[in-house]
Amino acid sequence: MTDLHHKLQALYEEVAQRNPGEKEFHQAVYEVLTSLGPVVDKHPDLADIAVIRRLCEPERQIIFRVPWLDDSGNVQINRGFRVEFNSALGPFKGGLRFHPSVYLGIVKFLGFEQIFKNSLTGLPIGGGKGGSDFDPKGRSDNEVMRFCQSFMTELYRHLGEYTDVPAGDIGVGTREIGYMFGQYKRITNRYESGMLTGKGLTWGGSQVRTEATGYGTVFFVDEILQSTGQSFEGKQVVVSGSGNVAIYAIEKVHSLGGTVIACSDSSGYLRDDKGIDVELLKEIKEINRGRITDYVEARGGAAQVVTDRSVWEVPCDIALPCATQNEVSGEDAIQLIKSGCLIVAEGANMPCTPEAVKNFEEAGVTFAPGKAVNAGGVATSALEMQQNASRDSWTFDDTEARLAEIMRRIHDRCLSTADEYGQPGNYVAGANIAGFTRVADAMLALGLV
């Protein structure tokens, strides 16, 4: 690990040893530590008094059993997680992911990333993450409800608007949030609307929350383009995924003059050179819970689905990975570089492997990391918390304007911090250092806790 500052090398080795088998967490920690060398040189006391070491150790890790009955009356057992990573800036804040791939290492990687992402927003929220290896896909509403109720029956004691405020993530939408909030209210006898975000609009949710991560991703890229005198006008864009983040990224790209020509799901990728029909995609994915193959049947014409290759083979000006971690390999990166891609911005959490990031940087492709690019979701969750605390509700336009301003500030802070530490234009260094220094300052102010 030669890229690490000598004061951080032993720390990384300690993290890897103390957290065996958690490769995604190791990757996330290493990625941040590689940026902190200039900070350690400028502020050596941060390493000497173990601020960085403390930051790599969660304040609390909760693992619990989730028993529930399926529709056949059979008992099912899943495992639940909540990693409350750092609360120096405010209550723990981060989503819940329901997916078979979830295990402690995934949750810790996501929680660690969340610390810096939340810090970059400038809002008073700490970092955490949670979830379960439960798969809601193919389950009835009643099965999902019973699972969510059992999950919350254990987790509720660790939550609260001033303690820990979960939201949704992969596999957790308004339906799941509603079932969990209902169980929390039932157990506690409190209508504490600020203890969960991503709620429905009729019972405490915020306008733009559904669109926020996708919109925020595109707002960030728009700032990158504007900083070099460009715009989305005439740009061809490829987006991976076709879930919540991807759909609303596509919608916002089109509204700014770009054309998204491809997206994907687990069955392959969809290419539509006329531009993805967002309303049709929403109907298939959000209402019918269908597959991208259904889009081709409904759309006709030149739309096609490719099932045996990567979406990153489609030539584009801008690539937005919006699906899941480590989806863009080193080979995928080379393919994007060869096809002339100019900007890669992570709409998902750590979707690019270290090899992919290295390839982008060496080729001069502008690369922006997820902790900055996809911060719009948690930023709007914090805006939802503000509305809940004041018993208020803002309009769509007002909330979207606030989101756009937050993403603009994050972009500018990344660039100015990169300049300050001698790495102009490096969005990875800027995001990591800016996110870290704000948390570190708070940790120092609060003492050894």
Side-chain angles (χ1 to χ4, degrees):
M1 300 295 180
T2 56
D3 294 335
L4 290 180
H5 188 282
H6 69 276
K7 285 193 174 184
L8 301 177
Q9 178 69 47
L11 170 59
Y12 174 75
E13 292 172 358
E14 178 185 330
V15 168
Q17 183 179 14
R18 286 170 62 87
N19 303 274
E22 298 173 0
K23 59 181 182 178
E24 296 88 357
F25 179 49
H26 301 167
Q27 180 182 339
V29 171
Y30 185 78
E31 189 266 341
V32 170
L33 294 184
T34 55
S35 298
L36 298 186
V39 182
V40 172
D41 285 336
K42 190 173 182 178
H43 306 286
D45 56 308
L46 293 178
D48 295 339
I49 62 175
V51 170
I52 303 173
R53 186 181 179 194
R54 278 187 280 154
L55 198 59
C56 294
E57 185 68 23
E59 293 182 27
R60 190 174 297 109
Q61 301 179 62
I62 305 156
I63 305 176
F64 52 96
R65 180 180 64 196
V66 187
W68 58 281
L69 285 175
D70 66 21
D71 287 343
S72 299
N74 298 316
V75 175
Q76 302 290 335
I77 303 293
N78 286 97
R79 185 171 288 176
F81 305 90
R82 187 68 179 174
V83 174
E84 298 175 331
F85 225 113
N86 190 285
S87 60
L89 293 174
F92 305 105
K93 186 81 190 80
L96 296 169
R97 175 176 294 191
F98 292 170
H99 191 273
S101 66
V102 170
Y103 78 108
L104 186 59
I106 290 281
V107 177
K108 284 167 72 172
F109 126 63
L110 292 167
F112 185 74
E113 287 277 293
Q114 201 77 40
I115 300 170
F116 306 97
K117 181 187 304 186
N118 293 1
S119 172
L120 284 168
T121 67
L123 300 169
I125 43 178
K129 206 76 177 185
S132 173
D133 56 3
F134 171 75
D135 189 357
K137 190 178 295 182
R139 294 292 182 180
S140 70
D141 285 349
N142 281 332
E143 287 177 320
V144 172
M145 179 183 70
R146 288 192 290 269
F147 170 82
C148 289
Q149 289 175 338
S150 182
F151 183 86
M152 185 53 71
T153 297
E154 175 59 34
L155 188 60
Y156 87 94
R157 68 200 73 201
H158 303 288
L159 306 182
E161 59 183 316
Y162 301 111
T163 307
D164 186 349
V165 183
D169 194 84
I170 294 173
V172 179
T174 305
R175 175 183 63 171
E176 289 76 15
I177 292 292
Y179 292 149
M180 286 187 281
F181 181 73
Q183 186 72 352
Y184 182 90
K185 184 173 77 70
R186 181 184 185 189
I187 293 170
T188 63
N189 194 32
R190 294 197 304 271
Y191 202 104
E192 191 180 332
S193 55
M195 56 70 56
L196 270 174
T197 59
K199 300 182 293 296
L201 292 178
T202 58
W203 45 281
S206 173
Q207 299 276 2
V208 192
R209 180 60 191 90
T210 301
E211 299 86 354
T213 308
Y215 278 17
T217 294
V218 178
F219 286 146
F220 193 98
V221 176
D222 193 41
E223 292 298 319
I224 294 175
L225 290 166
Q226 289 187 44
S227 70
T228 57
Q230 302 180 73
S231 72
F232 268 105
E233 199 67 41
K235 298 290 191 300
Q236 291 202 320
V237 182
V238 168
V239 176
S240 68
S242 52
N244 190 59
V245 180
I247 286 173
Y248 290 100
I250 295 169
E251 182 173 271
K252 185 53 67 175
V253 167
H254 287 176
S255 74
L256 294 177
T259 303
V260 177
I261 58 174
C263 65
S264 63
D265 65 15
S266 58
S267 65
Y269 76 82
L270 162 68
R271 180 166 182 172
D272 189 342
D273 289 340
K274 293 181 179 179
I276 301 294
D277 184 328
V278 181
E279 294 307 314
L280 176 58
L281 188 63
K282 283 183 185 179
E283 179 182 344
I284 289 168
K285 285 292 184 176
E286 296 183 342
I287 299 174
N288 300 332
R289 298 182 184 270
R291 312 296 290 166
I292 56 174
T293 51
D294 301 326
Y295 176 100
V296 174
E297 293 175 10
R299 177 77 156 167
Q304 59 177 314
V305 169
V306 179
T307 59
D308 56 348
R309 297 195 300 275
S310 167
V311 70
W312 306 119
E313 72 177 8
V314 179
C316 62
D317 302 303
I318 299 169
L320 304 179
C322 294
T324 191
Q325 67 272 359
N326 290 327
E327 59 169 299
V328 183
S329 68
E331 292 181 359
D332 292 328
I334 291 171
Q335 185 69 46
L336 283 166
I337 292 163
K338 287 181 177 178
S339 69
C341 183
L342 304 173
I343 297 172
V344 177
E346 295 184 318
N349 293 303
M350 205 172 71
C352 296
T353 64
E355 294 77 18
V357 176
K358 183 178 180 181
N359 289 339
F360 291 137
E361 290 176 344
E362 290 179 349
V365 173
T366 300
F367 174 76
K371 61 174 62 69
V373 175
N374 69 39
V378 74
T380 307
S381 281
L383 298 181
E384 182 176 329
M385 292 166 67
Q386 289 183 29
Q387 293 171 83
N388 293 159
S390 61
R391 300 294 192 268
D392 198 0
S393 180
W394 305 336
T395 67
F396 189 99
D397 289 345
D398 185 36
T399 308
E400 184 179 6
R402 293 181 191 225
L403 169 62
E405 177 58 31
I406 289 170
M407 298 310 299
R408 186 176 302 113
R409 290 201 306 263
I410 293 173
H411 172 270
D412 292 349
R413 190 174 181 201
C414 288
L415 278 190
S416 64
T417 303
D419 284 343
E420 179 184 348
Y421 284 86
Q423 300 183 63
N426 188 329
Y427 285 98
V428 174
N432 286 333
I433 295 172
F436 167 76
T437 51
R438 182 169 178 247
V439 177
D441 287 346
M443 292 175 69
L444 289 171
L446 298 179
L448 188 57
V449 293

